[in-house]
Amino acid sequence: MKFLEVYRGKKVIVTGHTGFKGSWMSYWLHSVGAHVVGIGLDPKREEDLYHQLELSSKIVDYREDIRNLSKMVEIFEAEQPDFVFHMAAQALVIDGYNDPVYTYEVNVTGTANILEALRSLSKKAVGVFITTDKVYENKEWEWPYRESDELGGYDPYSSSKAAAEILIQSFRKSFFNPNSYDDHLKSVASVRAGNVIGGGDWSDNRIVPDCMKSIQQSKDIELRSPLAVRPWQHVLEPIGGYLLLGAKMFENPTELCEAFNFGPEAENVLTVKDLVDGFVKLSGKVSWIDVSDKKVHHEANLLTLDINKAKKRLNWHPILGPSDTIKYTFDWYMSVAESGAEQLCSIQINDYSERWNSKRES
């Protein structure tokens, strides 16, 4: 992955670095020689990937709340980043229902603060803002959503992320307009990924952690919505896309200041049942049961992404099919106690990189 060379020796801020995706992102960047600066809250659990990778000894670690604007500006001015990957968020639909005000504060006001901190810099910088596939006004239709489709959101989490997308677009037009790049020196894009899975996620109310906990305890897996369709993808797929986009923006700062979807190929989109069946087959010792409750909060049943824009504009393509995605994830959880998180993450990043290079050479 030759494009990763651009990050070597560069200062990269990753917000949400203590979370699941943020830990994978921070470790990958560190492994290619970037100077990583993390901004995030304390990890919630001792088993969280951040702790397992011992990231506190590898990166600059700020434990700060992105809702604090003055602190964000202070950190940005002290660190002078070349890249910013904004991943910090309240990222769960159920938690959005349980605490909607906090969800909007983090996902909207927090994003505004990172944009404003980026604006405070007087140097060249690239900002990639991570939102979600749930920003679209979900009409439960069979067609995948394109970047130009209507934004919306039934629940607080989804609507907070849609609001963040509108906010990012407004800052880009008002303060980071590509037509006046020489005045501000900032390139800003947003990225929308599907349902991300992989080793090291221990969050509550997520299907893969629930699966692996049940498998490890030899208990049947409980599914809320087995027929729901989602664009499942291994965590390395969207992160590779974010890094590719950031590298291309650094080289051509006015060309890609837009929104991009990153998801699986259309034929690889799975139901919850299909995904869990893959884990059940690999485990060989548990099954699953349907515990759906019609009284619970609304969640969409059908959601897929159109990734043609990323393919054409970035030459990005998914590398892992469903079976590899499931096996990467299963193997990580089943081997981590013996092999350690850092060794497993390194092995999977190297294998993924080799597959990436092979696909582009073929």
Side-chain angles (χ1 to χ4, degrees):
M1 303 174 80
K2 294 180 180 179
F3 70 86
L4 292 173
E5 285 295 320
V6 75
Y7 294 101
R8 185 177 301 278
K10 299 294 197 306
K11 185 74 69 71
V12 185
I13 284 181
V14 178
T15 72
H17 70 298
T18 57
F20 164 56
K21 284 177 72 177
S23 294
W24 274 97
M25 168 73 89
S26 298
Y27 181 74
W28 198 351
L29 282 165
H30 168 75
S31 71
V32 298
H35 299 301
V36 182
V37 176
I39 303 174
L41 302 178
D42 292 338
K44 295 181 178 179
R45 307 162 190 82
E46 281 301 315
E47 67 267 28
D48 280 353
L49 187 59
Y50 174 84
H51 288 311
Q52 294 191 55
L53 291 173
E54 299 181 343
L55 284 173
S56 62
S57 66
K58 297 177 172 67
I59 69 174
V60 177
D61 184 359
Y62 288 95
R63 301 296 176 83
E64 299 290 349
D65 193 322
I66 62 171
R67 293 177 296 171
N68 186 334
L69 174 59
S70 62
K71 181 58 70 173
M72 295 304 105
V73 172
E74 178 184 321
I75 293 172
F76 273 59
E77 291 186 346
E79 298 295 343
Q80 295 290 303
D82 302 295
F83 296 89
V84 176
F85 290 93
H86 175 49
M87 309 181 83
Q90 191 300 94
L92 297 174
V93 172
I94 291 177
D95 286 359
Y97 280 114
N98 292 336
D99 197 344
V101 173
Y102 175 77
T103 299
Y104 289 112
E105 287 178 348
V106 174
N107 294 349
V108 183
T109 304
T111 298
N113 289 345
I114 298 302
L115 285 161
E116 186 66 5
L118 184 62
R119 192 163 77 98
S120 72
L121 298 176
S122 57
K123 66 182 294 293
K124 175 181 178 177
V126 170
V128 178
F129 287 72
I130 289 83
T131 60
T132 174
D133 57 344
K134 296 175 180 63
V135 298
Y136 296 106
E137 183 62 37
N138 195 337
K139 305 181 189 306
E140 300 275 352
W141 58 23
E142 61 185 284
W143 299 283
Y145 290 91
R146 297 169 298 177
E147 291 85 348
S148 57
D149 283 332
E150 179 184 2
L151 300 176
Y154 183 105
D155 59 274
Y157 166 72
S158 302
S159 62
S160 73
K161 284 296 197 173
E165 281 280 357
I166 295 171
L167 171 66
I168 294 162
Q169 183 183 75
S170 175
F171 263 72
R172 185 165 52 227
K173 290 180 176 179
S174 301
F175 308 115
F176 307 132
N177 198 307
N179 294 327
S180 56
Y181 176 78
D182 289 342
D183 296 329
H184 56 75
L185 301 176
K186 310 300 185 298
S187 305
V188 171
S190 62
V191 292
R192 306 159 183 177
N195 288 54
V196 174
I197 66 174
D201 185 5
W202 296 107
S203 302
D204 296 328
N205 299 312
R206 285 197 201 269
I207 185 61
V208 169
D210 290 347
C211 274
M212 297 313 302
K213 289 172 186 175
S214 295
I215 289 170
Q216 290 169 347
Q217 297 168 12
S218 297
K219 294 169 54 179
D220 284 342
I221 302 163
E222 296 183 351
L223 302 188
R224 293 194 307 270
S225 303
L227 299 181
V229 176
R230 294 289 185 273
W232 308 100
Q233 58 191 148
H234 190 270
V235 63
L236 293 177
E237 297 273 44
I239 291 178
Y242 306 161
L243 292 173
L244 176 63
L245 173 60
K248 286 182 175 289
M249 291 170 68
F250 193 81
E251 295 169 358
N252 298 288
T254 64
E255 297 300 315
L256 298 166
C257 301
E258 304 168 22
F260 288 88
N261 288 338
F262 294 98
E265 298 285 4
E267 63 269 22
N268 291 336
V269 172
L270 303 176
T271 64
V272 172
K273 172 187 175 299
D274 293 334
L275 178 76
V276 174
D277 279 343
F279 288 110
V280 167
K281 183 178 179 180
L282 289 174
S283 77
K285 61 180 182 180
V286 301
S287 186
W288 60 266
I289 55 176
D290 187 348
V291 295
S292 300
D293 182 355
K294 294 182 179 180
K295 296 180 181 179
V296 300
H297 297 302
H298 170 272
E299 286 193 67
N301 287 312
L302 178 61
L303 179 59
T304 58
L305 292 173
D306 186 317
I307 58 174
N308 283 311
K309 182 177 178 181
K311 287 181 175 181
K312 293 176 181 178
R313 298 285 301 281
L314 306 177
N315 192 27
W316 175 86
H317 299 270
I319 303 299
L320 304 175
S323 60
D324 285 329
T325 294
I326 293 169
K327 192 171 190 312
Y328 261 41
T329 304
F330 181 85
D331 288 349
W332 195 100
Y333 282 100
M334 300 307 291
S335 303
V336 66
E338 180 179 348
S339 300
E342 185 166 358
Q343 179 177 334
L344 290 172
C345 288
S346 180
I347 289 171
Q348 291 190 346
I349 287 172
N350 290 336
D351 183 68
Y352 181 81
S353 299
E354 289 176 6
R355 292 178 185 226
W356 175 296
N357 294 333
S358 177
K359 186 163 186 173
R360 276 149 182 78
E361 290 171 358
S362 60

